[in-house]
Amino acid sequence: MLKASMYLDPHYALADVPDELFGSFIEHLGRAVYDGIYCPGHPSADAQGFRRDVLDAIRPLNIPLLRYPGGNFASGYRWEDGVGPRERRPVRPDAAWRSLESNQVGLNEFAGFCRDAGAQMMLTVNLGTRGVQEACDLLEYCNLPVGSYYSDLRAAHGVKAPHAIRYWCLGNEMDGPWQMGHKTAEEYGRLAAETARAMRRLDPTVKLTAAGSSNPGMPTFPQWEATVLSHTYDDVDFLSLHQYLGDYTGDLGDYLAQSLTMDSFISAAVSACDYVRAKKRAKKEMMLSFDEWNVWFRTNGQEEREEPWRHAPAILEERYTMADAAMFGCMLITLLNHTDRVRAACLAQLVNVLAPIMTVPGGGPVWRQSIYWPFLHGSLYGRGTVLRAHVASPRYDSPSFTDVPYLETAAVWHEDSGELDIFAVNRSPGEPLLLACDLAAFGGGALTEHSALYDPDPLAVNDPGRERLTPRRVSGGSAEDGKLRAELPPLSWNVLRVGLGRRP
Ligand code: AHR
């Protein structure tokens, strides 16, 4: 059996976890909106056409932030198409996903959906095919009190009170040649800075995100960050990062090690931010918004291979395995361990597209994929103070990585309730891992629950009506002499819930 140890001390705190770390994302893409969250005529649809059974699966995830309407879709979107009387809304070709967009769901409908889901909207403005003026028009429509052209138009559309949207993304993945209106870092940096300044003059309360790199493999990373921030540093609150992991070639150890690239991506992006800060002699520390993250590789580029110009085609419906859930757990742990600088994040995406929540096509039932569970656990138990854990884990080498720890872990302390949650992935497909955690600095503690997601088959998946991958209670853990011991099953995602001995 593999053995790892961990030392935790409440005096070594990294940062408080912002609620916004557990955001998600719904794009006008595939069946995310149509035949996903929105299905008028469905037996569970509410008066607005949104499926209550889908909302019932979303609500437990306690999502504070929903990014919308894209993604790549946002870079060719005309927001005006999606407001006002539905019968007058145009059907448009969406060049990003080569689909037809009916515009039956737009800004006001999605705002209502966010209210029902208990989330704030994070709105992406189109800086691909559009510019400063359209972004300002949209902000005026959303956030200004009635009395001006676009705010009056909103009222005429039945929404008198402003939506008061706080979080805004200044374009999406503008470094990517696939993006409509793709730009150089200079071009984008200038446009983002001017857009940010104009938007702040209309509404100084907005929180703005400049688009960083689409993944760490981009040839422009990290010079993109340095150049974009040289223009925008004073005018934005966040720099965004995106990353999807995947490409499982049959070597599980190599596959699971990929999450280490997310860790180094964040560290390098922080260095780029701090370089610009030093150059500018700025007081402000730039924060990161990891506003797209997930596992995605099987359905990549599917839109190019399938028949175009369909409405709500079933594309990018990635099926998540046990191994994917373990990798997803490693990514979530990585985000937690960087909460000093990553202050917002969005799981991409939420329903049907790269999603924890699925609906059977044509209005069938809702079901949950493996990745639903690590996200639920993180969101439920991960809001507190991340501790700087001292971890000693056995390691392995794989074809592409060296020194990969079998144990990936993060610890979140809840001072008020006197509890601690330890999130842990055992990367070993063959061996259990015995974790010994020293809690002496807390005066000891007791294991109140050990819950784990695991399966002997790394490629096991859930199916509609047969959710094989759901968390199970693990027994046998103990706590004696200030030490907690628990056995993590092979290839598993774990949550160890601990009641602490005394307040330190
Ligand atoms: O989430 C799917 C796509 O991935 C998004 O539209 C884009 O931003 C990213 O490349």
Side-chain angles (χ1 to χ4, degrees):
M1 165 149 20
L2 297 165
K3 289 186 178 160
S5 65
M6 182 175 185
Y7 175 79
L8 296 173
D9 185 323
H11 297 102
Y12 299 122
L14 176 74
D16 288 342
V17 179
D19 284 343
E20 289 76 13
L21 201 73
F22 302 103
S24 189
F25 175 30
I26 292 184
E27 176 165 6
H28 281 255
L29 194 185
R31 296 192 308 119
V33 174
Y34 309 107
D35 205 27
I37 58 171
Y38 178 77
C39 217
H42 188 274
S44 100
D46 62 18
Q48 282 66 46
F50 289 102
R51 279 181 65 164
R52 280 183 309 245
D53 55 350
V54 175
L55 268 167
D56 287 345
I58 293 174
R59 279 200 199 98
L61 295 176
N62 202 7
I63 290 171
L65 210 58
L66 273 174
R67 189 164 177 256
Y68 177 84
N72 297 344
F73 174 81
S75 295
Y77 184 49
R78 282 171 270 210
W79 65 268
E80 303 88 333
D81 288 348
V83 295
R86 277 198 167 111
E87 62 283 4
R88 283 199 231 138
R89 298 187 192 176
V91 174
R92 300 262 193 204
D94 159 31
W97 300 109
R98 304 177 81 221
S99 309
L100 286 185
E101 172 54 52
S102 69
N103 284 304
Q104 291 303 293
V105 172
L107 185 65
N108 295 319
E109 292 83 19
F110 194 74
F113 174 78
C114 285
R115 252 192 317 279
D116 288 346
Q120 294 189 58
M121 198 188 316
M122 177 188 241
L123 200 50
T124 307
V125 302
N126 176 354
L127 290 189
T129 60
R130 304 186 110 187
V132 183
Q133 186 59 60
E134 292 90 345
C136 288
D137 294 346
L138 176 58
L139 178 60
E140 179 190 337
Y141 184 92
C142 290
N143 283 13
L144 260 64
V146 287
S148 67
Y149 177 78
Y150 279 113
S151 58
D152 284 348
L153 189 63
R154 179 190 70 233
H157 293 159
V159 186
K160 183 137 193 264
H163 287 303
I165 294 169
R166 287 287 151 269
Y167 290 88
W168 295 78
C169 300
L170 301 168
N172 176 69
E173 295 189 350
M174 301 310 305
D175 61 329
W178 58 85
Q179 201 69 211
M180 273 181 291
H182 161 57
K183 292 173 176 51
T184 65
E186 278 291 337
E187 289 164 349
Y188 171 68
R190 286 278 304 118
L191 177 60
E194 292 306 332
T195 308
R197 281 178 214 132
M199 287 177 74
R200 275 199 205 288
R201 291 193 69 80
L202 279 178
D203 181 353
T205 70
V206 290
K207 288 190 180 298
L208 302 175
T209 300
S213 289
S214 303
N215 67 70
M218 295 300 292
T220 44
F221 174 73
Q223 187 57 48
W224 174 273
E225 279 61 19
T227 305
V228 167
L229 287 176
S230 72
H231 292 290
T232 58
Y233 200 91
D234 297 333
D235 301 303
V236 301
D237 302 281
F238 298 98
L239 176 81
S240 80
L241 298 179
H242 292 179
Q243 192 175 17
Y244 295 93
L245 296 179
D247 284 331
Y248 177 56
T249 53
D251 185 321
L252 205 52
D254 206 46
Y255 175 70
L256 293 172
Q258 287 180 29
S259 69
L260 301 181
T261 64
M262 185 188 201
D263 184 70
S264 51
F265 185 28
I266 295 173
S267 300
V270 165
S271 301
C273 292
D274 292 348
Y275 163 74
V276 178
R277 179 187 180 192
K279 245 183 119 176
K280 288 186 172 283
R281 276 76 171 150
K283 284 212 173 81
K284 177 170 95 180
E285 210 172 34
M286 184 59 61
M287 296 300 156
L288 300 177
S289 169
F290 215 116
D291 51 36
E292 286 189 35
W293 68 272
N294 202 345
V295 172
W296 175 23
F297 58 105
R298 300 171 185 91
T299 57
N300 212 328
Q302 192 185 4
E303 72 283 1
E304 306 296 337
R305 300 188 289 270
E306 296 208 352
E307 187 198 330
W309 316 126
R310 289 174 294 156
H311 177 65
I315 55 171
L316 276 54
E317 302 203 358
E318 198 86 1
R319 291 292 298 280
Y320 290 111
T321 63
M322 179 59 230
D324 297 337
M327 174 108 95
F328 182 95
C330 290
M331 295 181 88
L332 187 59
I333 286 171
T334 304
L335 289 172
L336 283 167
N337 284 330
H338 281 283
T339 43
D340 53 334
R341 297 299 287 269
V342 179
R343 303 300 290 169
C346 299
L347 155 61
Q349 302 194 9
L350 186 58
V351 177
N352 287 336
V353 169
L354 312 176
I357 299 170
M358 303 295 291
T359 65
V360 174
V366 179
W367 56 285
R368 285 162 299 200
Q369 300 224 59
S370 59
I371 60 170
Y372 184 92
W373 300 107
F375 191 77
L376 177 89
H377 288 151
S379 183
L380 281 185
Y381 308 130
R383 301 181 202 212
T385 305
V386 177
L387 298 176
R388 293 178 194 269
H390 185 271
V391 180
S393 167
R395 290 171 184 265
Y396 65 93
D397 291 343
S398 73
S400 327
F401 299 89
T402 49
D403 264 347
V404 184
Y406 281 105
L407 173 68
E408 196 68 58
T409 187
V412 179
W413 174 41
H414 312 283
E415 185 174 9
D416 293 347
S417 62
E419 288 169 310
L420 180 76
D421 284 288
I422 299 171
F423 302 104
V425 170
N426 175 7
R427 283 193 175 96
S428 168
E431 283 186 83
L433 184 148
L434 182 67
L435 172 62
C437 180
D438 189 332
L439 297 174
F442 289 95
L447 186 64
T448 52
E449 189 184 325
H450 177 181
S451 179
L453 190 71
Y454 59 102
D455 194 286
D457 179 2
L459 301 183
V461 291
N462 285 348
D463 291 303
R466 189 171 168 269
E467 296 186 16
R468 164 178 176 169
L469 300 168
T470 55
R472 291 183 258 172
R473 288 281 172 101
V474 180
S475 56
S478 66
E480 269 170 48
D481 306 328
K483 259 217 175 114
L484 188 92
R485 285 188 180 77
E487 194 177 303
L488 315 183
L491 186 64
S492 58
W493 157 263
N494 301 262
V495 190
L496 306 174
R497 310 218 63 214
V498 180
L500 294 167
R502 61 165 164 75
R503 299 276 166 90

